Structures are given as C-alpha cells and as structure tokens.
Amino acid sequence: MSPYYKDKDQFLVALDCVIFGFYEGELHLLLLQRNFEPDRGKWSVMGGFLQKGESADDAAKRVLYELTGLQDVYMEQVGLFGAVDRDPGERVLSVAYYALIKIEDYDRDLVKKHNAFWINIHQLPPLIFDHEEMVRKAREKMRIKAACEPIGFNLLPELFTLGQLQRLYEVLFDGPLDKRNFRKKVAEMDFIEKTGEIDKSCSKRGAALYRFNDKAYLKDPRFKL
Amino acid sequence: MSPYYKDKDQFLVALDCVIFGFYEGELHLLLLQRNFEPDRGKWSVMGGFLQKGESADDAAKRVLYELTGLQDVYMEQVGLFGAVDRDPGERVLSVAYYALIKIEDYDRDLVKKHNAFWINIHQLPPLIFDHEEMVRKAREKMRIKAACEPIGFNLLPELFTLGQLQRLYEVLFDGPLDKRNFRKKVAEMDFIEKTGEIDKSCSKRGAALYRFNDKAYLKDPRFKL
DNA sequence: TCAAAAGTGTTAAGTTTACACCCATGA
DNA sequence: TCATGGGTGTAAACTTAACACTTTTGA
C-alpha cells in the first residue's frame, strides 16, 4: 500500500440486495431465513461481502445472481449504511441495492438452497440489523423512480394486460387508480404497444396483451402515470 | 474479529463532500486545489477517510467541519462510489455527501488553509477521480429534493428577499420563473414569513425581507414551487 | 431623470379528476 | 344466467402559464 494511505483504517463492506417481485397483484420481497450464524432463524435480505477486485455494482450483481440465477436485472443503489453498531457482531459497512425482477424467471433451486421466500410487502417479518430501514429506503427510492421513469415493466412479464399494469402501479403508489384515466394515459404512450395477442388467464372475456418497447421509449421518453 | 468475518476483504473508505453555496445570484461549489499528493495541483471536492468508531454520517460531518468550521449543516448522502480503479493510487471506496451552507457563515481561515475556493457551478475545472460524477449526482439529487422539500433555505441567509429566493430556484431548476406566478405561490406558503424588515442592499427601492419558519412548515408541510 | 429591482391580477390553456354502463366468456 | 374482469367518453374542477405596467430611490 502506498505510504499516503497506510495509516488509514480499513473496513468490511457488505452488499445487501432488496429484491422486488410482483405476482397475484401484490408486491413481494425475496427474503432469507438465515440458516447460519449470526442470527440463525431470523429474516434478512440477501447479502454478501465485497471482494477485492470487484466494483460495488458488480458485487451487488453477483449477490443477486447467487440467489436468483438472474443476470441483466434492473438494479439501483440505495446507499451506504454506515452506523457503527449496525451489525452487532463486527463493524461492517453495507451498500444496499434494490432489484426489480420478473418473478417467473428466477431459479427455484437456488432460492430453495438459500432458504429464501417471497414475502408480501404488507406482511414482512421483523428483519435483522438495519434491513428494515434498507427496505423502507429501497421502496421509497423505487417509488420515486417509478413515478417518472418506466421501470415498473421490469416487474412484469414480457407481455402483460392493462389490468396487470394498472394493478402494479396501484401497488407501487399505494392507492387506487381510475381505470379510464389510466388507460387514457397509457394510450398516449406510444412505447406501450398492443401486441394483438390475447390473455385468457386473467379474465373470462380475455384481455389484450401489451408490451413495453424500450427502443420506442428512448426515442420519445415521456412517461408520467 | 469473529471467525465468521475473518476471511473477508477489507477496504479503505473515504468520505467526499460536495459543498454548495449561493451568492451573487449563482450556485457555487467549494473546491480544493490539492497541495498534497497524489495529484498535487488538481481540483477535488473535500474528502477524508472513515475512521473506526465513527459512523459514515458522522465522518461526513467531520470532513465538512474540518474545511468550513460549520456544524448542524443540511447534508444528504449521494451514494457509494465503488469502481475498482476510481482512485488510481489504491483501492478506495468513497461515500459522497452533499452539503448546503449559508455562504456568509463559513470559516475563511480554514478554507484558506485547505487551499479551497468557491467556484461557479457553470465554470468548474476538471476534477480528479470520479469527483465530476459525484458533483453531477449530488446536483441531481439536490434538485429533486429541492423540488418537493424546502431545503433551498439552507443556502440563503436567515432573512432574504423574494428576488433572492426566486433567483435561487431559477438557478436550482435551471430556467427562468415568472415573477408574479412565483410570488403567488410563495404567498400561499404560510411558513415563508414576511418580517417587516427591509433590505436596501439589493435594490434602490428596497425589498421586504422574509424568513423561513421551519416550525410552521412542520405543522403544514405543503411545498411546491 | 433614468436605470434597476420591487411589487401587483386576470385570463386562457392545459391537466386532472370524477363518474357509469355495456361486453364477452367460463363456470 | 350470472359473476368477473375488459373495455369505453365527457364534463367539471383545478392548476399552470402567459402577460405589462406602476413604484421607489440612488446614482
């Protein structure tokens, strides 16, 4: 180490990943029931340690991959959690991220192996350390982003109905939306494309399936629900 | 160290502080021209290293205090900057913060001692490492916050004119505001109080001085410019 | 006397909200 | 046949944007 830095303290740095999924009209988090110490049996978000030679963003992707087998996932940093006693065992800094995943895609075996479960966001158990604050901040940050950028589509399948889309935004913004007003706005966004296909699973009548066209969005990025 | 953590890598952690100030109708940053290695002579934001036994937030306050002599300053975390090669000398993680200070309050001697200068935000020199990205993200985060919470007052003196306030928000939002519309909105916010005092320094005619009443704001926090 | 910033209301345009009924189908 | 979610338009309320002249006073 260069002399300039050599008398400075060094720290363990963890990555913690708040993983959002959407199914059955509800927002869920992928949480681990720890089968290892410390705090065996308690609930936490998925974490791991930063390693020499990897960036924080890469480490967060690795941690997500280890649990879900997914790559190229929408992730954002929530921030650094740096309270001295946040981990009672040892001084550990943690960088929290959130991820939005399509819930049909993840690797069931990996998740089972980690003893992880999808928990409805309205029925969260107590979490270890400062993980509840991480979840709160992740949700808030995601909500703000979702209000002005079309990130919600990362939580939906490739093809989705307007009913699903509306329900997603009702859950994200935590309040009912008017169906006609909602559809009026969607119709104005050219990057939300009707595919011609019909979904028969959600309703008896069947509903038109739509797709988010990210190239069209980049050409004309006007999003506001 | 407990056995569970002992084989994990450890990291140097820096704090970097993007310090905003407002005077002469312009937004400025307090930047250091480094008179020490590495990168002597180059420009950077104020930084320091995290120490054992202090939280990241406390360390950021310390770093700000060391440069300005100010305490109880509005600060927000921008995020962790964790690229592997961000500091070419050594692997150093950095947690960036931004601070909003009343520019008439800081300690001139400390600033001089650190070889720091107020630089107009539109005339920034190249900065070392990833400090330009820190500044960009800090500005963006501050802008978003300033749009829905009354944090701008941290950049103004206790007493200010409506002209100063409007100019501040024009600078923050980077565009002209209509004077009559602006004043109409300010008049609706009961926590922006006319003091009865008159400022004669900004104009020949004199302008009414206002004050931000934070207790009144907490009672009825409706802010939107 | 004039330059410079302070102060003051109204109208048009645009956006948001509220609201109710028919449709197609599987059970 | 009925319960379920899909699909559709209009009018009122509200918000935002545009706009010009008078006042005061120090230089």
Side-chain angles (χ1 to χ4, degrees):
Chain A
M1 181 174 303
S2 97
Y4 181 73
Y5 298 110
K6 74 171 192 299
D7 58 332
K8 306 301 182 189
D9 297 327
Q10 293 192 266
F11 299 86
L12 293 165
V13 178
L15 293 305
D16 284 302
C17 193
V18 179
I19 304 169
F20 291 96
F22 178 70
Y23 71 99
E24 291 177 358
E26 296 283 353
L27 198 58
H28 293 75
L29 293 186
L30 188 53
L31 295 178
L32 280 69
Q33 194 165 28
R34 290 162 77 110
N35 47 18
F36 53 91
E37 297 302 332
D39 291 300
R40 179 187 299 271
K42 297 214 185 137
W43 292 86
S44 73
V45 305
M46 178 68 181
F49 281 90
L50 181 63
Q51 297 168 5
K52 299 256 186 235
E54 71 181 347
S55 71
D57 289 354
D58 286 345
K61 286 178 199 157
R62 172 175 57 77
V63 166
L64 181 74
Y65 179 76
E66 285 169 6
L67 178 59
T68 64
L70 298 175
Q71 279 168 315
D72 300 317
V73 167
Y74 181 85
M75 294 185 83
E76 291 280 347
Q77 190 191 114
V78 177
L80 179 97
F81 289 72
V84 173
D85 296 320
R86 53 172 297 281
D87 182 332
E90 190 74 31
R91 179 80 196 266
V92 182
L93 305 174
S94 174
V95 193
Y97 285 76
Y98 72 83
L100 305 183
I101 76 171
K102 298 186 197 301
I103 207 159
E104 71 274 17
D105 291 347
Y106 71 91
D107 184 320
R108 268 70 183 167
D109 295 335
L110 280 174
V111 163
K112 186 172 279 180
K113 200 164 74 187
H114 282 86
N115 207 42
F117 304 89
W118 286 104
I119 310 287
N120 186 306
I121 196 134
H122 292 114
Q123 295 154 24
L124 297 182
L127 304 179
I128 62 163
F129 304 173
D130 48 6
H131 287 201
E132 291 185 26
E133 196 195 343
M134 286 180 187
V135 168
R136 214 167 26 245
K137 285 202 179 157
R139 243 196 122 183
E140 188 56 26
K141 191 150 187 165
M142 197 258 278
R143 195 201 315 271
I144 289 168
K145 194 88 169 179
C148 52
E149 285 180 55
I151 64 171
F153 301 98
N154 293 293
L155 290 163
L156 292 173
E158 272 316 298
L159 302 182
F160 51 84
T161 69
L162 294 183
Q164 289 173 299
L165 186 64
Q166 181 178 343
R167 177 65 197 164
L168 172 62
Y169 277 91
E170 286 177 336
V171 168
L172 293 185
F173 300 152
D174 204 29
L177 298 171
D178 180 90
K179 184 162 54 159
R180 279 180 286 190
N181 294 336
F182 182 84
R183 284 164 187 247
K184 210 183 308 168
K185 282 199 190 154
V186 168
E188 285 162 12
M189 297 185 217
D190 297 336
F191 52 86
I192 302 179
E193 299 173 339
K194 201 170 193 168
T195 60
E197 292 179 65
I198 303 291
D199 171 273
K200 307 285 286 185
S201 68
C202 287
S203 78
K204 306 182 175 171
R205 177 178 174 179
L209 281 163
Y210 288 75
R211 162 189 293 133
F212 172 65
N213 182 331
D214 50 351
K215 284 160 202 77
Y217 172 70
L218 288 174
K219 267 199 214 115
D220 185 20
R222 284 177 295 137
F223 181 82
K224 181 79 208 306
L225 277 177
Chain B
M1 183 173 301
S2 97
Y4 181 73
Y5 297 110
K6 76 170 191 301
D7 59 333
K8 307 300 182 190
D9 296 328
Q10 292 192 268
F11 299 86
L12 292 165
V13 178
L15 293 305
D16 283 302
C17 194
V18 179
I19 303 169
F20 291 96
F22 178 72
Y23 71 98
E24 291 176 359
E26 296 284 353
L27 198 57
H28 293 74
L29 293 185
L30 188 52
L31 295 177
L32 281 69
Q33 194 164 29
R34 290 163 77 112
N35 47 17
F36 53 92
E37 296 304 331
D39 291 299
R40 180 187 298 270
K42 298 216 184 136
W43 291 86
S44 72
V45 305
M46 177 68 181
F49 281 91
L50 181 63
Q51 298 168 4
K52 299 257 184 234
E54 71 181 348
S55 71
D57 289 354
D58 285 345
K61 286 178 200 158
R62 173 175 57 78
V63 166
L64 180 73
Y65 178 76
E66 285 169 6
L67 178 59
T68 64
L70 298 174
Q71 279 168 315
D72 301 317
V73 169
Y74 182 86
M75 294 185 83
E76 291 280 347
Q77 190 191 114
V78 177
L80 179 97
F81 289 72
V84 173
D85 296 319
R86 52 173 298 280
D87 182 333
E90 189 75 31
R91 179 79 196 265
V92 182
L93 305 174
S94 174
V95 193
Y97 285 75
Y98 72 83
L100 306 183
I101 77 171
K102 298 185 197 303
I103 208 159
E104 71 273 18
D105 291 349
Y106 71 91
D107 183 321
R108 268 71 182 165
D109 294 336
L110 280 173
V111 162
K112 185 172 281 180
K113 200 165 72 187
H114 282 87
N115 208 41
F117 304 89
W118 286 104
I119 311 287
N120 187 307
I121 196 131
H122 293 115
Q123 295 154 22
L124 297 183
L127 304 179
I128 61 163
F129 305 172
D130 48 6
H131 286 200
E132 292 186 25
E133 196 195 342
M134 286 181 186
V135 167
R136 214 166 29 243
K137 285 202 178 158
R139 242 196 123 182
E140 187 56 26
K141 191 150 187 165
M142 196 257 278
R143 194 200 316 270
I144 288 168
K145 194 89 169 179
C148 52
E149 284 180 55
I151 64 171
F153 301 98
N154 293 293
L155 290 163
L156 293 173
E158 271 317 296
L159 302 183
F160 50 85
T161 69
L162 293 184
Q164 288 174 299
L165 186 64
Q166 179 177 344
R167 176 67 196 163
L168 172 62
Y169 277 91
E170 287 176 336
V171 168
L172 294 184
F173 301 150
D174 204 28
L177 298 171
D178 180 90
K179 183 161 57 157
R180 280 180 284 189
N181 294 337
F182 182 84
R183 283 164 187 248
K184 210 182 309 165
K185 281 199 190 155
V186 168
E188 286 162 11
M189 297 184 219
D190 297 336
F191 51 87
I192 302 178
E193 298 172 341
K194 201 171 195 167
T195 60
E197 293 180 65
I198 302 292
D199 171 272
K200 307 286 286 184
S201 68
C202 287
S203 76
K204 305 180 175 170
R205 177 178 174 181
L209 282 163
Y210 288 75
R211 162 189 292 133
F212 172 65
N213 181 333
D214 51 351
K215 283 159 203 77
Y217 172 69
L218 289 174
K219 269 199 212 113
D220 185 20
R222 282 177 296 136
F223 182 83
K224 182 78 208 308
L225 277 176

